[in-house]
């Protein structure tokens, strides 16, 4: 059974004969202990406070039966890890190789809801859960401006809390063009009508931050914590 905040996405699941419902990740309309396993992929990094991120993890744990497991993926601040760039960063070069150019003032839709992006220099690690177990690779610096920075897609992260441009499908599109990008074929002189741009909030996680949040709950045990292509990932077991 799947659930999502977006009714349009849930409708697509229904058209494909999958079971899905619209709901809030902080209040899932299912009884406690009803699930053998739960997954949360690219969801928790959209909550804007440490308290709400922890509440989302606690809600996942509530749904699990004793011995049940949960898998959580969130976008990582460190998009270059152990001298390896994530797929998210590599995608920028791949786009250039295909001869595509990003229209001035616009950015590609983030691949992030499949894969993340970022690297942690000069980051602002303000999460209270992180301050107790801060990793050396994520320097804590207080925010000096209340405005959130807008991320440049396919580049490293320079702040943990930011807005990522999202281009609504629409505008003029040439046949065969990827609907998720605003790009021009090599040599094209014709400009496209830009699609509406929205900005989605992200809190990108530093190393150890997600695991520390999970370990703060006494109802679960962390089975595994790892990095996967620009994501921090945790596998939990319900006690």
């Amino acid at each position: 059974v799947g659930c999502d905040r977006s009714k349009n996405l849930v409708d697509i699941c229904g058209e494909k004969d999958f079971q899905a419902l619209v709901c809030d990740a902080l209040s899932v309309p299912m009884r406690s202990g009803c699930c053998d396993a739960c997954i949360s992929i690219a969801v928790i990094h959209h909550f804007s406070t440490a308290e709400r991120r922890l509440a989302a993890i606690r809600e996942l744990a509530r749904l699990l039966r004793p011995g049940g497991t949960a898998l959580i993926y969130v976008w990582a601040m460190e998009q270059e890890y152990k001298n390896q760039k994530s797929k998210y960063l590599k995608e920028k070069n791949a786009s250039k190789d295909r001869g595509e150019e990003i229209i001035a003032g616009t950015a590609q839709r983030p691949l992030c809801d499949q894969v993340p992006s970022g690297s942690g220099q000069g980051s602002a690690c303000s999460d209270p859960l992180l301050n107790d177990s801060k990793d050396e690779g994520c320097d804590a610096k207080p925010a000096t401006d209340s405005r959130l920075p807008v991320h440049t897609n396919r580049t490293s992260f320079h702040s943990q809390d930011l807005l990522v441009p999202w281009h609504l499908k629409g505008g003029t599109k040439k046949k065969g063009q990827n609907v998720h990008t605003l790009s021009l074929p090599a040599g094209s002189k014709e400009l496209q009508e830009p699609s509406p741009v929205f900005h989605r909030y992200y809190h990108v996680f530093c190393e150890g931050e997600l695991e520390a949040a999970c370990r703060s709950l006494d109802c679960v045990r962390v089975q595994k914590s790892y990095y996967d292509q620009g994501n921090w990932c945790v596998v939990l077991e319900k006690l």
Side-chain angles (χ1 to χ4, degrees):
V1 177
C3 57
D4 198 279
R5 187 72 174 183
S6 166
K7 180 181 183 299
N8 288 342
L9 292 179
V10 169
D11 287 345
I12 291 171
C13 291
E15 292 167 3
K16 297 178 180 291
D17 295 324
F18 295 127
Q19 296 183 70
L21 63 137
V22 176
C23 79
D24 186 334
L26 299 183
S27 183
V28 179
M30 296 180 184
R31 62 180 172 82
S32 300
C34 68
C35 298
D36 294 313
C38 297
I39 62 172
S40 173
I41 307 296
V43 172
I44 294 175
H45 56 215
H46 288 299
F47 290 113
S48 61
T49 66
E51 291 76 16
R52 286 167 66 79
R53 293 189 286 272
L54 185 60
I57 299 171
R58 185 182 291 111
E59 182 69 353
L60 270 183
R62 180 189 69 80
L63 296 171
L64 292 172
R65 62 165 176 79
T69 56
L71 171 65
I72 301 172
Y73 265 60
V74 295
W75 217 348
M77 179 85 181
E78 301 85 357
Q79 288 300 299
E80 193 163 342
Y81 187 68
K82 295 184 177 178
N83 298 320
Q84 294 289 324
K85 288 186 178 181
S86 70
K87 188 181 295 184
Y88 177 82
L89 293 184
K90 290 177 181 178
E91 188 73 15
K92 182 176 183 179
N93 293 329
S95 294
K96 288 181 178 178
D97 292 341
R98 290 194 299 267
E100 297 175 349
E101 299 175 0
I102 304 302
I103 297 175
T106 68
Q108 289 179 307
R109 168 187 173 181
L111 179 68
C112 143
D113 288 288
Q114 303 173 9
V115 188
S117 112
S119 126
Q121 294 182 351
S123 59
C125 298
S126 56
D127 195 319
L129 286 172
L130 177 62
N131 291 339
D132 295 334
S133 59
K134 185 178 62 179
D135 183 80
E136 294 179 357
C138 192
D139 300 327
K141 294 185 180 179
T144 56
D145 194 330
S146 61
R147 293 173 297 178
L148 289 173
V150 177
H151 177 62
T152 300
N153 291 70
R154 312 298 175 189
T155 65
S156 297
F157 291 126
H158 300 290
S159 173
Q160 274 196 280
D161 298 283
L162 46 91
L163 299 175
V164 176
W166 177 278
H167 293 267
L168 188 67
K169 179 180 176 181
T172 305
K173 183 175 74 71
K174 294 202 171 209
K175 184 177 180 180
Q177 180 193 336
N178 188 334
V179 298
H180 296 319
T181 64
L182 284 178
S183 57
L184 294 176
S188 173
K189 296 180 180 179
E190 183 180 345
L191 286 176
Q192 295 174 299
E193 177 186 344
S195 300
V197 179
F198 297 91
H199 291 94
R200 305 205 307 163
Y201 170 84
Y202 284 79
H203 172 84
V204 291
F205 282 68
C206 288
E207 182 173 6
E209 183 179 354
L210 176 62
E211 183 176 354
C214 294
R215 291 190 185 280
S216 72
L217 299 177
D218 57 10
C219 59
V220 297
R221 178 176 68 88
V222 174
Q223 282 188 338
K224 188 178 181 182
S225 178
Y226 59 97
Y227 179 89
D228 179 25
Q229 284 295 338
N231 297 273
W232 286 114
C233 320
V234 164
V235 178
L236 302 176
E237 180 185 3
K238 178 71 172 288
L239 299 176

